[in-house]
Amino acid sequence: MINNLDFSQVNWEEFGKATVETLQMLAYSSLFTLILGLPIGIILFLTSRSSSVGLRLFYSILSIVVNILRSVPFIILIIALIPVTKEIVHTSIGVRGMIPPLVIGAAPFYARLVETSLREVDRGVIEAAQAMGASTWQVVYKVILRESRPGLIAGFTVTVIALISYTAMSGLVGGGGLGFLAVNYGYYRYETAVMLVSIVIIILLVQLIQMIGDRLVIHFTRK
Amino acid sequence: MITIKNLVKTYGTGAKATAALKGINLEVAQGEIFGIIGHSGAGKSTLIRCINMLEEPTSGSVTIGETDMTRLGTSQLQRERRRIGMIFQHFNLLSSATVYDNIAFPLRLVRTPRAAVDRKVKEMLELVGLTEHAKKFPAQLSGGQKQRVGIARALATDPRVLLCDEATSALDPQTTDSILRLLLDINRKLGLTIVLITHEMHVIQSICDKVAVIHGGVILEEGPVIDVFLKPREAVTRDFIRRESDSADVLEEAIHAPHPESARTVKVTFIGDLTYQSILSQTVKETNVDFAILQGTISRIKETPYGQLIVRFEGTPEAIERTLQRLAEQKLEVEEVR
């Protein structure tokens, strides 16, 4: 392997394109994961402690669905979701074709992290807001989401980083991006240099996102 | 102002059901500071939470002014709650919001115009003496300052009732006193009705007009603080008072110390202006008996001075009898102690 390490064969233009693809996948999937995962997390949180039997049953069902989606290995999820993906974005390959499975794989994960963060919010503060006449929506919006902001951001950072590794996996099934380069050149064509460069770019990306996440968490932490 | 009738709160159902409140009846008058004292688990926390329906009563009614709180729909209840302030043992401030934003919180819930919010928050900051801390976050404040923010937040909506849930229990003695003074001050300035729960007799003694002793989910006794404090009927009440003076053993010893056969030990209680008069010394001069003070307290309950002395009179039986009569004639309360 090592004697194949020849950086002269690396096509930098191709790397630029692949990086952009990875970033596109990441941006869209992160956005939709947030849009889907946050409300699901809030619903999980609210229904889990509801006094109504019906809502607690709803929680159990939603909880099982979330668990199922989280327990399927991502590579299998991509393949299993191909019909669904075609329905949504009319293709199952390329950047577009990858976004539905990425979101469906990551949103339940983020929803669980949201639920856990919301549970951390001091019961007393919620009670105080209720005592002041806040509605359920006001309690969620003005108290719970506000108080759990550091936890929500930390959870989102973890989710985005998980999405990076998911996007890399998508290379196996024609998803494009850095993972695609690493698998097709680095693995199938023994161009180790390509693989190494892919790995380095992915590591840098992970570091960057973790750093931004940490900064934001510190910015919003008041304790 | 507040009428509680046959209030029952039961947790759980069937065989696992436990009754936290077993039929509470209370009447709190407008402008009064009403204290509810009890040990932990006595039901006092449940009781105060039933007043603003944070706990839904199993049966019975809670009426504030003209409104029966137990019959309100969700949005009506939210509207009523805005007229009831509440402060908490652990302050329950938004940690992510500044002092200013915490106080503005209840005002913004009802979309108060910005200028009105600003005016009210500044007025409240002034009232609790935190004007220069407006931009700080709760984590940067001391416990007493946090409770001041809690009070300012609770009063921002001009409530007609303030509920205090163990509001000073997490504070040190000096801070407790300053918070109690603030509450008393607000009660006078704004004529606000205050209901507080506590496990400290000191709190009741400092600011309350009336007190109810709760134990095992029932009210054991209630009445003006001075009456309950000086003439407790129930063992639980005596226990709370004794804990405050903390000298029951010492008294026991003093009473049983060697003394002449004819001596009599009595508890003499002075209330109000009598406390500072020389009645005791004048009387013994007149009746020609000697006395020893075995134990005594001269203190104040809210504004009322009082004294309570355990005194042993020595002399001829007739002279002692006359002394006791003379004291009673001068409106002192005299009660024999064995």
Side-chain angles (χ1 to χ4, degrees):
Chain A
M1 270 262 238
I2 293 300
N3 29 10
N4 289 330
L5 203 56
D6 179 3
F7 285 95
S8 66
Q9 347 167 305
V10 174
N11 183 340
W12 295 104
E13 205 172 302
E14 198 134 19
F15 259 107
K17 188 170 154 271
T19 307
V20 169
E21 280 176 354
T22 292
L23 288 175
Q24 276 176 334
M25 278 193 277
L26 202 58
Y28 282 110
S29 61
S30 299
L31 179 69
F32 288 112
T33 298
L34 186 66
I35 292 173
L36 232 73
L38 191 60
I40 295 174
I42 295 170
I43 291 167
L44 280 170
F45 169 76
L46 289 177
T47 53
S48 71
R49 19 178 277 155
S50 171
S51 53
S52 135
V53 179
L55 284 179
R56 280 207 306 275
L57 181 73
F58 177 81
Y59 171 79
S60 307
I61 295 167
L62 187 61
S63 185
I64 290 168
V65 172
V66 165
N67 287 347
I68 290 172
L69 287 174
R70 283 185 54 200
S71 46
V72 180
F74 185 63
I75 192 77
I76 296 167
L77 191 71
I78 300 174
I79 297 161
L81 283 175
I82 285 176
V84 181
T85 307
K86 279 187 171 158
E87 222 19 74
I88 302 172
V89 291
H90 308 296
T91 175
S92 65
I93 55 162
V95 171
R96 266 163 72 101
M98 278 315 295
I99 290 167
L102 282 171
V103 173
I104 293 168
F109 175 66
Y110 185 51
R112 274 290 185 226
L113 295 180
V114 168
E115 186 195 359
T116 323
S117 287
L118 302 190
R119 274 187 201 190
E120 296 289 310
V121 176
D122 184 1
R123 280 281 301 128
V125 181
I126 297 171
E127 192 179 48
Q130 286 169 334
M132 286 184 269
S135 64
T136 305
W137 166 243
Q138 286 175 321
V139 169
V140 169
Y141 181 66
K142 291 183 175 244
V143 179
I144 298 174
L145 288 182
R146 181 176 183 150
E147 288 287 284
S148 59
R149 220 156 31 185
L152 294 178
I153 295 168
F156 192 61
T157 309
V158 171
T159 308
V160 172
I161 287 170
L163 275 170
I164 294 176
S165 71
Y166 286 179
T167 59
M169 234 183 272
S170 69
L172 282 173
V173 287
L178 290 166
F180 179 79
L181 276 193
V183 170
N184 283 293
Y185 292 79
Y187 182 56
Y188 294 133
R189 284 166 57 176
Y190 304 107
E191 290 177 22
T192 311
V194 176
M195 183 142 70
L196 280 180
V197 174
S198 305
I199 291 171
V200 168
I201 295 176
I202 288 171
I203 289 174
L204 288 176
L205 206 54
V206 170
Q207 293 293 345
L208 181 73
I209 286 165
Q210 187 66 53
M211 201 179 75
I212 295 171
D214 289 346
R215 286 268 170 90
L216 286 173
V217 169
I218 290 168
H219 178 76
F220 285 113
T221 300
R222 302 293 179 198
K223 288 201 173 153
Chain B
M1 184 75 205
I2 305 175
T3 309
I4 298 175
K5 276 198 190 129
N6 300 321
L7 190 72
V8 173
K9 173 70 187 181
T10 313
Y11 291 104
T13 47
K16 278 187 279 179
T18 48
L21 300 175
K22 303 169 185 163
I24 302 278
N25 290 288
L26 281 180
E27 184 82 42
V28 181
Q30 164 73 43
E32 195 168 66
I33 304 187
F34 194 103
I36 299 164
I37 189 166
H39 294 290
S40 54
K44 57 187 191 301
S45 214
T46 310
L47 177 56
I48 202 165
R49 278 174 171 66
C50 281
I51 297 177
N52 62 358
M53 299 291 123
L54 284 177
E55 293 276 3
E56 209 178 315
T58 310
S59 67
S61 73
V62 176
T63 315
I64 302 180
E66 299 296 304
T67 320
D68 183 349
M69 299 295 289
T70 51
R71 284 161 181 265
L72 298 177
T74 312
S75 67
Q76 288 170 303
L77 178 61
Q78 282 162 8
R79 199 157 353 118
E80 278 307 316
R81 279 175 174 169
R82 291 183 192 123
R83 302 171 68 192
I84 307 169
M86 190 167 189
I87 57 173
F88 303 86
Q89 179 173 7
H90 298 295
F91 325 120
N92 297 353
L93 303 175
L94 284 164
S95 63
S96 56
T98 59
V99 167
Y100 185 100
D101 289 335
N102 264 292
I103 300 172
F105 185 87
L107 299 167
R108 287 175 180 155
L109 286 179
V110 285
R111 306 231 164 88
T112 311
R114 218 191 166 96
V117 170
D118 193 59
R119 201 174 337 114
K120 195 72 198 178
V121 172
K122 284 184 174 148
E123 183 193 326
M124 288 298 122
L125 282 167
E126 185 109 3
L127 179 74
V128 300
L130 287 177
T131 306
E132 67 272 35
H133 299 291
K135 292 203 175 103
K136 286 190 181 166
F137 285 91
Q140 297 165 277
L141 301 178
S142 71
Q145 289 171 327
K146 283 184 206 167
Q147 195 57 288
R148 282 167 188 273
V149 178
I151 292 170
R153 179 177 71 174
L155 297 180
T157 48
D158 298 320
R160 41 186 191 163
V161 176
L162 178 66
L163 306 175
C164 309
D165 177 10
E166 295 270 10
T168 57
S169 301
L171 304 174
D172 61 52
Q174 284 91 339
T175 317
T176 295
D177 285 340
S178 84
I179 293 293
L180 292 177
R181 265 200 303 279
L182 178 62
L183 289 175
L184 191 58
D185 205 37
I186 290 161
N187 164 257
R188 292 222 180 98
K189 239 188 255 172
L190 313 174
L192 186 71
T193 309
I194 299 180
V195 178
L196 63 86
I197 62 167
T198 182
H199 60 265
E200 296 167 311
M201 202 65 201
H202 166 72
V203 171
I204 302 282
Q205 190 190 346
S206 312
I207 66 167
C208 293
D209 300 300
K210 287 222 189 112
V211 63
V213 181
I214 187 169
H215 189 72
V218 292
I219 301 287
L220 290 183
E221 64 181 304
E222 65 159 306
V225 176
I226 197 124
D227 294 352
V228 175
F229 197 81
L230 295 178
K231 281 167 276 176
R233 291 198 315 266
E234 302 288 335
V236 178
T237 319
R238 274 196 289 273
D239 193 40
F240 275 118
I241 296 165
R242 204 171 301 154
R243 187 154 311 163
E244 207 53 43
S245 55
D246 197 27
S247 47
D249 299 347
V250 182
L251 177 62
E252 219 36 44
E253 212 170 284
I255 290 173
H256 292 109
H259 56 265
E261 197 68 16
S262 62
R264 286 168 76 181
T265 308
V266 295
K267 178 154 82 180
V268 184
T269 308
F270 316 78
I271 297 174
D273 296 335
L274 294 176
T275 312
Y276 305 134
Q277 293 171 14
S278 52
I279 298 173
L280 192 59
S281 96
Q282 284 169 11
T283 309
V284 295
K285 238 183 262 168
E286 212 180 289
T287 58
N288 198 23
V289 297
D290 292 316
F291 70 92
I293 297 173
L294 305 183
Q295 193 179 52
T297 318
I298 310 288
S299 185
R300 238 174 20 176
I301 292 175
K302 203 169 177 185
E303 250 65 72
T304 316
Y306 77 95
Q308 196 161 51
L309 304 178
I310 309 285
V311 183
R312 187 166 63 218
F313 292 106
E314 295 171 14
T316 63
E318 300 74 41
I320 294 175
E321 187 54 39
R322 212 146 44 87
T323 310
L324 299 187
Q325 270 171 21
R326 287 289 296 137
L327 291 175
E329 278 163 24
Q330 293 178 77
K331 301 270 183 305
L332 299 195
E333 297 192 18
V334 179
E335 187 192 341
E336 196 127 4
V337 185
R338 273 162 301 277

